[in-house]
Amino acid sequence: MRFKNKKVLITGGNSGIGLVTAKLLVQEGAKVAITGRDQKTLDSAQKELGENAIAIKADVLNSEERKNAMQLIQEKFGELDAVFANAGIIKQSPLGTTTEEDFNQVLQTNITGAFFTVQAALPLLKQGSSVILNGSVMSVLGLGGSSAYSASKAGVRAMTRVLASELGPKGIRVNAVIPGATKTPIWGEETPATQARLQAISRSIPMARIGEPEEIAKAVLFLASDDSSYMQGTEIVVDGGATSSPAGAPIYLGK
Ligand code: NDP
């Protein structure tokens, strides 16, 4: 029970990687606060996670909702041992047809939202606590049509180092998890087209498959726990080898 009596906030905890992380944390004894915008998935996550979780409707971009969420967490938990700034969105942003609104929404959600989540949580973060930001391998892949998302995740990686410098003197660690393609609702409905897309991506991954959210969540739990007590301002890449050894992917091996 690595997380007995530990309290953790996960933004975007009502779906995908965030929800699975919340489940593993509760299994290991933590009390977890999850946030998101969609009341329906918040309700079902609350039911699934049980009494050791609180599901709070809060948009990471809404300062009033962020403030209310932190107030509620303070009332229920008193303090926080870890924050997983995980909420994020993806939108295509091809050069030539992208609107400023779409571009800004991605940057704001993924970068500004993460920054102000950490800022709002700061009064509750005690000495020895851990902050984890969610990056992406898209920050280094140069995939066409993804300027907004890729730039946002490169920003998250840079910000991790800055926040580590700012929070280190307060005894708070800040690190990032860098997932590769992972099976979550972010890819849209499970249509044959989505399956074909994920199948194609699998061929560019040395491990020849898409990641499971549990595989990302386990790295997050490591970063949130004292097991990573000497890790600061750095990253754990969980991508089946996609960015470290792409030449081993089926697509390059003629498979
Ligand atoms: P999901 O779509 O399943 O989860 C995204 C979560 O973010 C949802 O819970 C959503 O809740 C929440 N969210 C989005 N916008 C806001 C907002 N403005 N305020 C509060 N919550 C918000 O996808 P994933 O689990 O895959 O994504 C989680 C993170 O992992 C993201 O940052 C994503 O970029 C990153 N990632 C994912 C990869 C993948 O292949 N799946 C690969 C690399 C990184 P709601 O809609 O209710 O607001």
Side-chain angles (χ1 to χ4, degrees):
M1 291 292 244
R2 268 186 303 179
F3 290 92
K4 197 166 167 30
N5 298 324
K6 303 278 185 193
K7 290 113 183 172
V8 184
L9 163 65
I10 302 173
T11 63
N14 51 341
S15 179
I17 294 168
L19 177 57
V20 172
T21 305
K23 279 188 216 166
L24 296 189
L25 281 165
V26 167
Q27 278 168 23
E28 289 213 41
K31 291 195 186 303
V32 179
I34 59 164
T35 66
R37 297 162 302 173
D38 180 53
Q39 192 60 56
K40 212 168 136 203
T41 44
L42 281 166
D43 289 344
S44 66
Q46 174 74 75
K47 219 166 155 187
E48 210 176 332
L49 294 168
E51 62 184 15
N52 284 322
I54 43 170
I56 308 167
K57 189 169 186 300
D59 186 326
V60 290
L61 294 178
N62 183 315
S63 58
E64 203 55 36
E65 291 180 9
R66 277 196 310 266
K67 202 168 117 200
N68 292 342
M70 296 308 161
Q71 256 167 16
L72 195 62
I73 291 167
Q74 186 167 27
E75 276 166 38
K76 301 265 183 195
F77 293 171
E79 61 194 5
L80 283 168
D81 297 281
V83 172
F84 181 27
N86 162 72
I89 57 165
I90 191 164
K91 275 187 182 201
Q92 292 295 302
S93 53
L95 200 57
T97 55
T98 300
T99 64
E100 280 187 46
E101 194 188 350
D102 279 353
F103 197 93
N104 288 336
Q105 196 192 355
V106 172
L107 287 178
Q108 283 180 1
T109 305
N110 297 355
I111 301 188
T112 315
F115 177 84
F116 284 102
T117 293
V118 179
Q119 181 161 290
L122 197 50
L124 301 183
L125 283 169
K126 56 188 217 189
Q127 170 123 15
S129 59
S130 171
V131 172
I132 302 105
L133 305 187
N134 199 338
S136 167
V137 296
M138 292 278 278
S139 53
V140 295
L141 291 180
L143 185 71
S146 75
S147 282
Y149 184 76
S150 297
S152 76
K153 292 302 186 177
V156 165
R157 295 177 88 161
M159 196 163 69
T160 300
R161 295 164 185 236
V162 176
L163 296 181
S165 293
E166 291 191 35
L167 296 182
K170 295 182 197 297
I172 299 169
R173 297 184 300 111
V174 185
N175 295 289
V177 66
I178 313 295
T182 309
K183 226 177 279 166
T184 74
I186 208 168
W187 293 94
E189 282 177 31
E190 278 193 45
T191 60
T194 310
Q195 276 165 5
R197 192 166 161 222
L198 290 175
Q199 191 59 37
I201 292 171
S202 299
R203 297 191 59 237
S204 69
I205 300 170
M207 290 182 77
R209 64 175 178 85
I210 302 296
E212 297 294 334
E214 287 77 6
E215 295 176 303
I216 313 303
K218 284 178 186 167
V220 176
L221 262 69
F222 172 70
L223 290 173
S225 76
D226 291 340
D227 290 347
S228 59
S229 55
Y230 198 49
M231 292 183 71
Q232 176 67 307
T234 190
E235 304 173 337
I236 298 183
V237 180
V238 190
D239 70 349
T243 52
S244 61
S245 52
I251 200 164
Y252 291 113
L253 299 177
K255 289 185 182 167

Coordinates of all heavy atoms in Angstrom, one line a residue, residues 11-19 35-39 41-42 58-62 65 84-90 105 109-110 113 134-138 149 152-153 177-187 198 210-211 213 216, ligand 1:
T11 N -6.2 15.9 -12.7 CA -7.1 16.6 -13.6 C -7.4 15.7 -14.8 O -6.5 14.9 -15.2 CB -6.5 17.9 -14.1 OG1 -5.3 17.7 -14.8 CG2 -6.2 18.9 -13.0
G12 N -8.6 15.7 -15.3 CA -9.0 14.8 -16.4 C -9.0 13.4 -15.9 O -8.5 12.4 -16.5
G13 N -9.5 13.2 -14.6 CA -9.5 11.9 -14.0 C -10.8 11.1 -14.3 O -11.0 10.0 -13.7
N14 N -11.6 11.6 -15.2 CA -12.9 11.0 -15.5 C -12.8 10.1 -16.8 O -13.8 9.6 -17.3 CB -14.0 12.0 -15.6 CG -13.7 13.1 -16.5 OD1 -12.6 13.4 -16.8 ND2 -14.7 13.8 -16.9
S15 N -11.6 10.0 -17.3 CA -11.5 9.3 -18.6 C -10.0 8.8 -18.8 O -9.1 9.3 -18.2 CB -11.9 10.2 -19.8 OG -11.7 9.5 -21.0
G16 N -9.9 7.8 -19.6 CA -8.5 7.4 -20.2 C -7.4 7.2 -19.1 O -7.6 6.5 -18.1
I17 N -6.3 7.8 -19.4 CA -5.1 7.6 -18.5 C -5.4 8.1 -17.1 O -5.0 7.5 -16.1 CB -3.9 8.4 -19.1 CG1 -3.5 7.7 -20.5 CG2 -2.7 8.4 -18.2 CD1 -2.5 8.6 -21.3
G18 N -6.1 9.3 -17.0 CA -6.4 9.8 -15.7 C -7.2 8.9 -14.8 O -6.9 8.7 -13.6
L19 N -8.3 8.3 -15.4 CA -9.2 7.4 -14.7 C -8.4 6.2 -14.3 O -8.6 5.7 -13.1 CB -10.4 7.1 -15.6 CG -11.4 6.2 -15.0 CD1 -11.9 6.7 -13.6 CD2 -12.6 5.9 -15.9
T35 N -10.9 15.6 -11.5 CA -11.7 16.7 -12.1 C -11.9 16.4 -13.6 O -11.2 15.6 -14.2 CB -11.0 18.1 -12.0 OG1 -9.8 18.0 -12.8 CG2 -10.7 18.4 -10.6
G36 N -12.9 17.1 -14.2 CA -13.2 17.0 -15.6 C -14.4 18.0 -15.8 O -14.9 18.5 -14.9
R37 N -14.8 18.1 -17.1 CA -15.9 19.0 -17.4 C -17.2 18.2 -17.6 O -18.3 18.8 -17.4 CB -15.6 19.8 -18.7 CG -14.4 20.7 -18.6 CD -14.0 21.1 -20.0 NE -13.6 19.8 -20.8 CZ -13.3 19.8 -22.1 NH1 -13.3 20.9 -22.7 NH2 -13.0 18.7 -22.7
D38 N -17.1 16.9 -17.9 CA -18.3 16.2 -18.3 C -18.9 15.5 -17.0 O -18.4 14.6 -16.5 CB -18.0 15.2 -19.3 CG -19.1 14.3 -19.8 OD1 -20.2 14.9 -20.1 OD2 -19.0 13.1 -19.7
Q39 N -20.1 16.0 -16.6 CA -20.7 15.5 -15.4 C -21.1 14.0 -15.5 O -20.9 13.2 -14.5 CB -22.0 16.3 -15.1 CG -22.6 16.0 -13.7 CD -21.6 16.4 -12.6 OE1 -21.1 17.6 -12.5 NE2 -21.3 15.5 -11.7
T41 N -19.5 11.5 -17.1 CA -18.3 10.6 -16.9 C -17.8 10.8 -15.5 O -17.2 9.9 -14.9 CB -17.2 10.8 -18.0 OG1 -17.1 12.2 -18.2 CG2 -17.6 10.1 -19.3
L42 N -17.9 12.0 -14.9 CA -17.5 12.2 -13.6 C -18.3 11.4 -12.6 O -17.8 10.7 -11.7 CB -17.7 13.7 -13.2 CG -16.6 14.7 -13.7 CD1 -17.1 16.1 -13.5 CD2 -15.3 14.5 -12.9
A58 N -14.8 20.6 -12.8 CA -13.9 21.8 -12.9 C -13.2 21.8 -14.2 O -12.4 20.9 -14.5 CB -13.0 21.8 -11.7
D59 N -13.3 22.9 -14.9 CA -12.6 23.1 -16.2 C -11.2 23.7 -15.8 O -11.1 24.7 -15.0 CB -13.3 24.1 -17.1 CG -12.7 24.3 -18.4 OD1 -11.5 24.2 -18.6 OD2 -13.5 24.5 -19.4
V60 N -10.1 23.1 -16.3 CA -8.8 23.6 -15.9 C -8.5 25.1 -16.4 O -7.6 25.7 -15.9 CB -7.6 22.7 -16.5 CG1 -7.5 21.4 -15.8 CG2 -7.7 22.6 -18.0
L61 N -9.4 25.5 -17.3 CA -9.2 26.9 -17.8 C -10.1 27.9 -17.1 O -10.1 29.1 -17.4 CB -9.5 26.9 -19.3 CG -8.5 26.1 -20.2 CD1 -8.8 26.2 -21.6 CD2 -7.1 26.7 -19.9
N62 N -10.9 27.4 -16.1 CA -11.8 28.4 -15.5 C -11.3 28.6 -14.0 O -11.3 27.7 -13.2 CB -13.2 27.7 -15.4 CG -14.3 28.6 -14.8 OD1 -14.0 29.2 -13.8 ND2 -15.4 28.7 -15.5
E65 N -13.7 27.8 -11.1 CA -13.8 26.4 -10.9 C -12.6 25.8 -10.3 O -12.7 24.9 -9.5 CB -14.3 25.7 -12.2 CG -15.7 26.1 -12.6 CD -16.1 25.5 -13.9 OE1 -15.5 24.5 -14.5 OE2 -17.2 25.9 -14.4
F84 N -1.4 15.2 -10.5 CA -1.2 14.7 -11.8 C -1.9 15.7 -12.8 O -3.1 15.6 -12.9 CB -1.6 13.3 -12.0 CG -1.4 12.7 -13.4 CD1 -0.4 13.1 -14.2 CD2 -2.2 11.6 -13.8 CE1 -0.1 12.5 -15.4 CE2 -2.0 11.0 -15.1 CZ -1.0 11.5 -15.9
A85 N -1.2 16.6 -13.4 CA -1.8 17.6 -14.3 C -1.9 16.8 -15.7 O -0.9 16.9 -16.5 CB -0.9 18.8 -14.4
N86 N -3.0 16.2 -15.9 CA -3.2 15.2 -17.0 C -4.2 15.7 -18.0 O -4.1 15.3 -19.2 CB -3.6 13.9 -16.3 CG -4.3 13.0 -17.3 OD1 -3.6 12.4 -18.1 ND2 -5.6 12.8 -17.2
A87 N -5.1 16.6 -17.6 CA -6.1 17.0 -18.6 C -5.5 17.5 -19.9 O -4.6 18.3 -19.9 CB -7.0 18.1 -18.0
G88 N -6.1 17.0 -21.0 CA -5.5 17.5 -22.3 C -6.5 17.2 -23.4 O -7.3 16.3 -23.3
I89 N -6.3 17.9 -24.5 CA -7.1 17.7 -25.7 C -6.2 17.6 -26.9 O -5.1 18.2 -26.9 CB -8.2 18.7 -25.9 CG1 -7.6 20.1 -26.0 CG2 -9.3 18.7 -24.9 CD1 -8.5 21.2 -26.6
I90 N -6.7 17.0 -28.0 CA -6.0 17.0 -29.2 C -6.9 17.5 -30.3 O -8.1 17.2 -30.3 CB -5.4 15.6 -29.6 CG1 -4.5 15.7 -30.8 CG2 -6.5 14.6 -29.9 CD1 -3.6 14.5 -30.9
Q105 N -7.1 26.9 -28.3 CA -7.8 26.0 -27.3 C -6.9 24.8 -26.9 O -6.8 24.5 -25.7 CB -9.1 25.4 -27.9 CG -10.0 24.9 -26.8 CD -11.1 24.0 -27.3 OE1 -11.4 24.0 -28.5 NE2 -11.9 23.4 -26.4
T109 N -5.5 24.6 -23.1 CA -5.8 23.5 -22.3 C -4.6 22.8 -21.8 O -4.4 22.5 -20.6 CB -6.7 22.5 -23.1 OG1 -7.9 23.2 -23.6 CG2 -7.2 21.4 -22.2
N110 N -3.7 22.5 -22.8 CA -2.6 21.6 -22.5 C -1.4 22.3 -21.7 O -0.8 21.6 -20.9 CB -2.0 20.9 -23.8 CG -3.1 20.1 -24.4 OD1 -4.2 19.9 -23.9 ND2 -2.8 19.6 -25.6
G113 N -3.6 25.3 -18.9 CA -4.4 24.6 -17.9 C -3.5 23.9 -16.9 O -3.7 23.8 -15.7
N134 N 1.7 15.6 -17.8 CA 1.5 14.6 -18.9 C 1.9 15.2 -20.2 O 1.3 16.1 -20.8 CB 0.1 14.2 -19.0 CG 0.0 12.8 -19.7 OD1 0.9 12.5 -20.5 ND2 -1.1 12.1 -19.4
G135 N 3.1 14.8 -20.8 CA 3.6 15.2 -22.1 C 3.1 14.3 -23.2 O 2.0 13.8 -23.1
S136 N 3.9 14.1 -24.2 CA 3.5 13.2 -25.3 C 4.7 13.1 -26.2 O 5.5 14.0 -26.4 CB 2.4 13.8 -26.1 OG 2.2 13.0 -27.3
V137 N 4.9 11.9 -26.8 CA 5.9 11.7 -27.8 C 5.7 12.6 -29.1 O 6.6 12.8 -29.8 CB 6.1 10.3 -28.3 CG1 6.5 9.4 -27.1 CG2 4.8 9.7 -28.9
M138 N 4.5 13.1 -29.2 CA 4.2 14.0 -30.4 C 5.1 15.2 -30.3 O 5.2 15.9 -31.3 CB 2.7 14.4 -30.3 CG 1.8 13.2 -30.6 SD 1.6 12.9 -32.4 CE 0.4 14.2 -32.8
Y149 N -0.9 20.7 -31.1 CA -0.8 19.6 -30.1 C 0.7 19.4 -29.8 O 1.1 19.3 -28.6 CB -1.5 18.4 -30.5 CG -1.5 17.3 -29.5 CD1 -2.3 17.3 -28.3 CD2 -0.6 16.2 -29.6 CE1 -2.3 16.3 -27.4 CE2 -0.6 15.2 -28.6 CZ -1.4 15.3 -27.5 OH -1.4 14.3 -26.6
S152 N 2.2 22.2 -27.9 CA 1.7 22.2 -26.5 C 2.5 21.2 -25.7 O 2.8 21.5 -24.5 CB 0.2 22.0 -26.5 OG -0.1 20.6 -26.6
K153 N 2.7 20.0 -26.2 CA 3.4 19.0 -25.4 C 4.9 19.3 -25.3 O 5.5 18.9 -24.2 CB 3.1 17.6 -26.0 CG 1.6 17.2 -25.9 CD 1.2 17.2 -24.4 CE -0.2 16.7 -24.2 NZ -0.7 16.6 -22.8
V177 N 5.5 12.5 -17.4 CA 5.4 11.2 -18.0 C 5.2 11.5 -19.5 O 4.4 12.5 -19.8 CB 4.3 10.3 -17.4 CG1 2.9 10.9 -17.6 CG2 4.3 8.9 -18.0
I178 N 5.8 10.8 -20.4 CA 5.7 11.0 -21.8 C 5.2 9.8 -22.5 O 5.9 8.9 -22.9 CB 7.1 11.4 -22.4 CG1 7.9 12.4 -21.6 CG2 7.0 11.8 -23.9 CD1 7.3 13.8 -21.5
P179 N 3.8 9.8 -22.6 CA 3.2 8.6 -23.3 C 3.4 8.6 -24.8 O 3.4 9.6 -25.4 CB 1.7 8.7 -22.9 CG 1.6 9.8 -21.9 CD 2.8 10.7 -22.2
G180 N 3.5 7.4 -25.3 CA 3.3 7.2 -26.8 C 1.8 6.9 -27.0 O 1.0 7.1 -26.1
A181 N 1.5 6.5 -28.2 CA 0.0 6.3 -28.5 C -0.5 5.3 -27.5 O 0.0 4.2 -27.3 CB -0.1 5.8 -29.9
T182 N -1.6 5.7 -26.9 CA -2.2 4.9 -25.8 C -3.7 4.7 -26.1 O -4.4 5.7 -26.5 CB -2.0 5.6 -24.5 OG1 -0.6 5.9 -24.3 CG2 -2.4 4.7 -23.3
K183 N -4.2 3.5 -25.8 CA -5.6 3.2 -26.1 C -6.6 4.0 -25.1 O -6.8 3.5 -24.0 CB -5.8 1.7 -25.9 CG -6.6 1.1 -27.0 CD -6.7 -0.4 -26.8 CE -5.5 -1.2 -27.3 NZ -5.4 -2.5 -26.8
T184 N -7.1 5.1 -25.5 CA -8.0 5.9 -24.6 C -9.1 6.5 -25.5 O -8.9 6.6 -26.8 CB -7.3 7.0 -23.8 OG1 -7.0 8.0 -24.8 CG2 -6.1 6.5 -23.1
P185 N -10.1 7.1 -24.9 CA -11.1 7.8 -25.7 C -10.6 9.0 -26.5 O -11.3 9.6 -27.4 CB -12.1 8.3 -24.7 CG -12.0 7.3 -23.6 CD -10.5 7.0 -23.5
I186 N -9.4 9.5 -26.3 CA -8.9 10.6 -27.0 C -8.8 10.4 -28.5 O -8.9 11.3 -29.3 CB -7.5 11.1 -26.5 CG1 -7.3 12.6 -26.7 CG2 -6.3 10.3 -27.2 CD1 -6.1 13.2 -26.0
W187 N -8.8 9.1 -28.9 CA -8.7 8.8 -30.3 C -10.1 8.8 -31.0 O -10.2 8.6 -32.2 CB -8.1 7.4 -30.5 CG -6.6 7.4 -30.1 CD1 -6.1 7.1 -28.9 CD2 -5.5 7.8 -30.9 NE1 -4.7 7.2 -28.9 CE2 -4.3 7.7 -30.1 CE3 -5.4 8.2 -32.3 CZ2 -3.1 8.0 -30.6 CZ3 -4.1 8.5 -32.7 CH2 -3.0 8.4 -31.9
L198 N -5.0 3.2 -35.7 CA -4.2 2.7 -34.6 C -3.4 1.5 -35.0 O -2.2 1.4 -34.6 CB -5.1 2.3 -33.4 CG -5.7 3.5 -32.6 CD1 -6.7 3.1 -31.5 CD2 -4.7 4.5 -32.0
I210 N -0.1 -0.6 -29.6 CA -0.5 0.7 -28.9 C -0.4 0.4 -27.4 O -0.6 -0.7 -27.0 CB -1.9 1.1 -29.3 CG1 -2.1 1.3 -30.8 CG2 -2.4 2.3 -28.5 CD1 -1.3 2.4 -31.3
G211 N -0.1 1.4 -26.6 CA 0.1 1.2 -25.1 C -1.3 1.1 -24.5 O -2.3 1.6 -25.0
P213 N -3.6 2.1 -21.1 CA -3.5 3.2 -20.1 C -2.8 2.8 -18.8 O -2.2 3.6 -18.1 CB -4.9 3.7 -19.9 CG -5.8 2.7 -20.7 CD -4.9 2.0 -21.6
I216 N 0.9 3.5 -18.7 CA 1.2 4.9 -18.4 C 1.0 5.2 -16.9 O 1.9 5.8 -16.2 CB 0.4 5.9 -19.3 CG1 0.3 5.5 -20.7 CG2 0.9 7.3 -19.1 CD1 1.6 5.3 -21.5
Ligands
NDP1 P1 -9.1 11.2 -22.7 O1 -9.8 12.0 -23.8 O2 -9.6 9.9 -22.3 O3 -8.9 12.1 -21.4 C1 -8.7 13.5 -21.4 C2 -9.2 14.0 -20.1 O4 -8.9 15.4 -20.0 C3 -10.7 13.8 -19.9 O5 -10.9 13.4 -18.6 C4 -11.2 15.2 -20.1 O6 -12.4 15.4 -19.3 C5 -10.1 16.1 -19.5 N1 -10.1 17.5 -20.0 C6 -10.0 17.9 -21.3 N2 -10.1 19.2 -21.3 C7 -10.3 19.6 -20.0 C8 -10.5 20.9 -19.4 N3 -10.5 22.0 -20.1 N4 -10.7 20.9 -18.1 C9 -10.7 19.8 -17.3 N5 -10.5 18.6 -17.9 C10 -10.3 18.5 -19.2 O7 -7.6 11.1 -23.2 P2 -6.2 10.5 -22.6 O8 -6.5 9.8 -21.3 O9 -5.5 9.8 -23.6 O10 -5.5 11.9 -22.3 C11 -4.9 12.2 -21.0 C12 -3.6 13.0 -21.3 O11 -2.7 12.1 -21.9 C13 -3.7 14.2 -22.2 O12 -3.0 15.2 -21.7 C14 -3.2 13.7 -23.5 O13 -2.6 14.7 -24.3 C15 -2.1 12.7 -23.0 N6 -1.6 11.8 -24.0 C16 -2.4 10.8 -24.5 C17 -1.9 9.9 -25.4 C18 -2.8 8.9 -26.0 O14 -2.4 8.3 -27.1 N7 -4.0 8.6 -25.5 C19 -0.5 10.0 -25.9 C20 0.3 11.0 -25.2 C21 -0.3 11.8 -24.3 P3 -13.7 16.3 -19.8 O15 -13.9 16.0 -21.2 O16 -14.8 15.8 -18.9 O17 -13.3 17.7 -19.5

